[in-house]
Amino acid sequence: KSSEEAMAKEVRLSIQLEGIQRLLETMSHFSYNLQQQFSDISLDLCESPNISVEVNTDTLATMITEFGCVSDTSPSNSTVVIPRNRLAVGTEMKVKMVSRDIRGQELDHGGEVVRSRLTPVGKRSIECQVTDNNDGTYFVSVTPQQSGQHKLSITIHGQDIQGSPFDLSV
């Protein structure tokens, strides 16, 4: 299992590095556009300053790993399936959350920091149990302890997913 986890981590790191490379390409394109826009302005000190950027991918990979929060998951694109919006007191409901990337594509790996809280209107919130299915989906177990209107919030790395918080009636 640890070799599978290492392979999954390597795949995620590879995706992250590709994203950084795309960012560098975008920055280069932006720099070129700026040069074109201001090409008619003469410079007294130098004619054409060059900027060279070198990236040591091994060092960058180590830094990303040590940082621990770089993710290809987009909370604003991640979705949830709520089987019903009306619950009974003390009855568990499992809500399925599907993590997605910035393009809206479903992810096939877990490992994200997903948190959920159920808040009765005007009362203190309670933490809900979140189960990582290690396939890009997560189950949130919701068991309300009192009747009335509730808000269910689901976050990835502290950011609300699409539509969160959700209204529930108990």
Side-chain angles (χ1 to χ4, degrees):
K1 179 164 177 141
S2 65
S3 66
E4 289 177 8
E5 290 173 353
M7 182 178 261
K9 192 173 191 176
E10 187 176 318
V11 168
R12 286 195 304 270
L13 187 56
S14 174
I15 291 169
Q16 292 165 357
L17 287 174
E18 288 175 9
I20 291 169
Q21 287 172 334
R22 284 193 304 272
L23 176 63
L24 289 173
E25 289 170 5
T26 301
M27 290 170 53
S28 175
H29 180 71
F30 182 70
S31 172
Y32 175 78
N33 286 343
L34 283 175
Q35 282 180 328
Q36 295 302 312
Q37 286 178 340
F38 296 103
S39 63
D40 60 337
I41 298 175
S42 63
L43 300 173
D44 293 334
L45 298 176
C46 58
E47 283 299 313
S48 179
N50 290 323
I51 298 174
S52 176
V53 177
E54 288 185 32
V55 177
N56 180 331
T57 56
D58 292 333
T59 302
L60 184 59
T62 301
M63 292 171 71
I64 289 171
T65 302
E66 289 173 358
F67 183 69
C69 193
V70 175
S71 170
D72 56 345
T73 302
S74 169
S76 62
N77 286 338
S78 297
T79 56
V80 69
V81 176
I82 299 178
R84 59 191 181 282
N85 68 350
R86 185 150 182 80
L87 303 165
V89 174
T91 302
E92 179 186 42
M93 175 178 71
K94 287 199 184 249
V95 174
K96 182 179 180 182
M97 191 210 64
V98 179
S99 61
R100 298 177 186 276
D101 65 16
I102 196 161
R103 295 177 306 275
Q105 300 297 311
E106 288 186 23
L107 297 175
D108 61 358
H109 61 80
E112 302 301 335
V113 179
V114 177
R115 301 255 189 267
S116 180
R117 298 193 74 76
L118 182 65
T119 308
V121 173
K123 309 278 179 154
R124 298 181 85 200
S125 65
I126 59 168
E127 185 119 7
C128 298
Q129 180 182 349
V130 177
T131 303
D132 184 347
N133 299 315
N134 294 312
D135 63 358
T137 66
Y138 299 77
F139 281 118
V140 176
S141 296
V142 179
T143 309
Q145 300 303 312
Q146 54 192 314
S147 62
Q149 292 302 114
H150 291 63
K151 297 274 186 188
L152 176 66
S153 68
I154 302 175
T155 62
I156 301 174
H157 298 292
Q159 295 182 345
D160 281 313
I161 68 164
Q162 186 180 107
S164 178
F166 304 95
D167 292 319
L168 298 176
S169 182
V170 178

